[in-house]
Each structure stands twice: as structure tokens, then as C-alpha cells.
Amino acid sequence: MPKNKLQGVVFGLLMSYVMAYGMEVYNVAIKQGFNLNPGGFSTMTNHVFLDALIETSYMGLFVFITSSLYGNRVGAAFSAKHTNLEKDNPYFCRIMRQAGTVAVMCPTMSMIASILFNIILAGQSFLSLPAVFTGTLIKNLPMAFFWNMFGAAPFCLLVFDLYNKRG
């Protein structure tokens, strides 16, 4: 875990971009129809990763800003409400914080993505936003939860653990 404020900001940036990249790989693969192929996502090609990287370049910034403004704080408050740091397993406390953060960040980012990709860029009517947002949230929430729990957070923690052992 980060040891000081600067490391906390760097960790937040890393986590934001790793989360955004994983979600963009998922969404680009869906947009390109790989989920509908026989074999599903296993038929993905490497160009998905480049297309996702392009979208991550700006979506990661949205993730960082919203998580810094309120997402991480709400996650911490959720964890504090449902765990006891002195009695509960630290791993359980961390998972509850991650779950609380995802519960706020996924709807936030789904709304931003719905407005950006469907309303602004695709030209859909603003009146379709409730349906577009709901569909986007239904699609993204399971992936965001599992990507955060088993991919992004462990990877970022590993990077910081390795860095702190060296430095």
C-alpha cells in the first residue's frame, strides 16, 4: 500500500488507468461483437487491446477524477460501516472497501460513458439516457466488480509492494 500522499496519488492514478483499461478491453470487445461469436471472448484479436488503450487514455482520467473526488471516500465509508478494522481480517476489510468503491464508481462511469459514447458521439436523444445508462450499468457492473477484485487491485498492490521493497 502507498506509504505517503505522493505514493497515494500515484497509486490512485495507476489503479484508475488499470481499471479503465480492463473495462475498455471488455467494452471494445463487446462493441466489436466478439461476445456473439461461437467461442465468445476467446475469439478476441489483438487489435482490441490497441483500441482499448486509445479509449483508456481519456477514460482513465475520468476514473481518476471521480474516484479522487468521492469514489474512494464512499468506498472507505462503506468499509467503515460494515467492518471493524481492529477485529476483522484486514483482507476482508480491503475487499469491503473495494466493493464499496465499485458500487459508486461503476454507476458513475456508466453514466459518463453513456453520455459520452451514446449521446454526444453517437447522437442519440438525451431522452434515451435512462435506458442507455441502465443497459450500460447492467453490462459493466459484474465485470467492474470481478476485474477490481481479482485483476486491477491485486496487480496495483503487487506493483506497489515490489516498489516499496526496492525503494
Side-chain angles (χ1 to χ4, degrees):
M1 285 302 295
K3 292 182 177 180
N4 58 48
K5 190 169 183 108
L6 177 61
Q7 280 191 4
V9 171
V10 173
F11 182 82
L13 251 158
L14 177 66
M15 185 65 183
S16 296
Y17 275 89
V18 170
M19 269 305 292
Y21 186 64
M23 293 305 297
E24 289 305 327
V25 166
Y26 175 67
N27 282 299
V28 167
I30 289 173
K31 184 169 43 175
Q32 294 179 359
F34 288 104
N35 59 317
L36 303 175
N37 292 342
F41 287 107
S42 297
T43 63
M44 249 175 38
T45 57
N46 288 334
H47 75 275
V48 169
F49 298 113
L50 179 59
D51 292 348
L53 192 59
I54 292 166
E55 289 186 10
T56 299
S57 65
Y58 54 89
M59 291 304 286
L61 187 58
F62 286 121
V63 175
F64 179 70
I65 291 169
T66 56
S67 65
S68 296
L69 289 175
Y70 60 89
N72 293 332
R73 288 185 211 141
V74 173
F78 178 84
S79 177
K81 181 177 181 180
H82 297 287
T83 64
N84 183 335
L85 290 174
E86 295 170 4
K87 294 181 182 178
D88 291 331
N89 182 309
Y91 183 70
F92 174 71
C93 295
R94 186 171 77 217
I95 285 183
M96 290 301 286
R97 182 176 179 149
Q98 287 172 239
T101 303
V102 169
V104 172
M105 289 302 298
C106 189
T108 299
M109 292 309 300
S110 292
M111 180 60 78
I112 290 170
S114 296
I115 292 169
L116 180 62
F117 294 116
N118 296 92
I119 306 301
I120 295 172
L121 296 177
Q124 288 186 359
S125 166
F126 192 76
L127 297 175
S128 66
L129 185 59
V132 170
F133 165 71
T134 302
T136 303
L137 183 61
I138 289 169
K139 174 183 71 172
N140 286 330
L141 188 58
M143 179 61 179
F145 179 79
F146 287 106
W147 174 237
N148 184 289
M149 294 294 158
F150 302 109
F155 172 75
C156 293
L157 290 169
L158 175 68
V159 167
F160 265 76
D161 285 347
L162 290 173
Y163 172 78
N164 286 325
K165 286 179 184 171
R166 287 183 165 191

